Amino acid sequence: GANFDRAWAATSSTQPTHASLLTGLHPWQHGVHRNGEVLQDSVQTVAGRLKAAGWWTGAVVASLPLARKFGFAQGFDVFDDEFSIDLDVGQWADEMQAGSHFFTPCGQITERALALIDEAEGDKQFLWVHYFDAHAPYGDTGTTQIKAGALLGAAKSHDPGLQEIIAQARRLYDQDVGAIDASLDMILRRLAQDDPAWQTHVIITADHGESFGEDGGFGHGSTLTPPQVHVPLVV
């Protein structure tokens, strides 16, 4: 594929950037300026345009911020936003309902995506597959996890072990990225089975990055520095 090494997210927060990815508009144009806001039906998305043109449209998303309640399901024939794992995220406490969950790990997302590929109808199809694992807490694909808040707390308290905590968080982050890489391999292998009957285009990108202290911050959503808004883009 073509690797665009100067791709920049619209911002460093999940919902505004995803709204920009789906609409091609800046946050001040589509109206989602921060997490917790709703993408209005009056704003046209790529899924809506394709569905109107006769395409089958499907999506499987991995975390609560992209749930249909926030308007991200518009234009999709099938929209899978069932989550299976709890996560203590104070920012979203008011949005969590009793018995609900926050995200779904990449293994389950891949299973659902492969099922959607098999179920897709028509001769023109659009599928959005969203992964959450390359995201705080780091290490959710294994047995050990570190929250971004732990890094920030260690920095504020001048913890002498901060650098080792950062190093461990980076290792766990790399582990999570590796798990997504393996999931993408499964999807790409499945799509390859349809060659040469189908012409398939794949776009891989992200909504934001993560800071590990190199820009004076930790996690994401607080600044517009390169670690938080410089993202991969492969077509």
Side-chain angles (χ1 to χ4, degrees):
N3 179 30
F4 296 83
D5 59 7
R6 288 185 292 176
W8 304 91
T11 184
S12 58
S13 295
T14 299
Q15 287 184 329
T17 294
H18 275 95
S20 290
L21 285 171
L22 293 174
T23 65
L25 302 174
H26 292 291
W28 64 82
Q29 295 171 311
H30 58 59
V32 181
H33 308 99
R34 57 181 174 78
N35 286 337
E37 296 182 338
V38 177
L39 180 63
Q40 299 300 316
D41 290 341
S42 59
V43 182
Q44 194 170 43
T45 66
V46 62
R49 292 178 69 105
L50 292 176
K51 183 176 181 180
W55 291 52
W56 174 91
T57 56
V60 51
V61 299
S63 63
L64 178 67
L66 300 180
R68 65 178 62 246
K69 65 191 294 183
F70 295 112
F72 289 98
Q74 57 180 282
F76 286 101
D77 293 307
V78 179
F79 191 84
D80 183 345
D81 62 345
E82 292 293 327
F83 311 121
S84 60
I85 303 295
D86 293 323
L87 186 63
D88 181 17
V89 183
Q91 177 184 5
W92 298 98
D94 293 339
E95 302 294 344
M96 299 290 288
Q97 300 176 355
S100 64
H101 303 293
F102 189 83
F103 79 100
T104 302
C106 60
Q108 293 180 29
I109 291 295
T110 301
E111 291 178 3
R112 297 177 186 179
L114 293 173
L116 273 183
I117 291 174
D118 291 335
E119 296 170 7
E121 302 174 347
D123 59 357
K124 294 181 179 181
Q125 305 165 356
F126 172 72
L127 176 63
W128 172 30
V129 181
H130 168 249
Y131 290 107
F132 177 79
D133 306 81
H135 192 289
Y138 315 115
D140 59 62
T141 58
T143 57
T144 301
Q145 295 184 8
I146 293 180
K147 294 183 178 181
L151 300 175
L152 181 59
K156 286 184 174 180
S157 66
H158 303 288
D159 189 328
L162 174 62
Q163 293 306 313
E164 176 52 36
I165 297 174
I166 292 175
Q168 183 182 10
R170 283 184 174 276
R171 288 192 294 269
L172 293 173
Y173 178 77
D174 288 344
Q175 168 190 295
D176 294 342
V177 172
I180 293 179
D181 188 53
S183 288
L184 289 174
D185 179 62
M186 294 177 65
I187 291 179
L188 292 174
R189 287 176 182 271
R190 170 61 187 83
L191 294 174
Q193 295 176 12
D194 292 333
D195 286 340
W198 292 80
Q199 184 183 57
T200 303
H201 301 270
V202 179
I203 301 173
I204 300 173
T205 190
D207 58 331
H208 59 71
E210 294 286 316
S211 292
F212 291 94
E214 65 272 64
D215 57 356
F218 295 96
H220 66 273
S222 57
T223 71
L224 298 177
T225 57
Q228 294 192 30
V229 294
H230 188 195
V231 295
L233 176 60
V234 181
V235 179

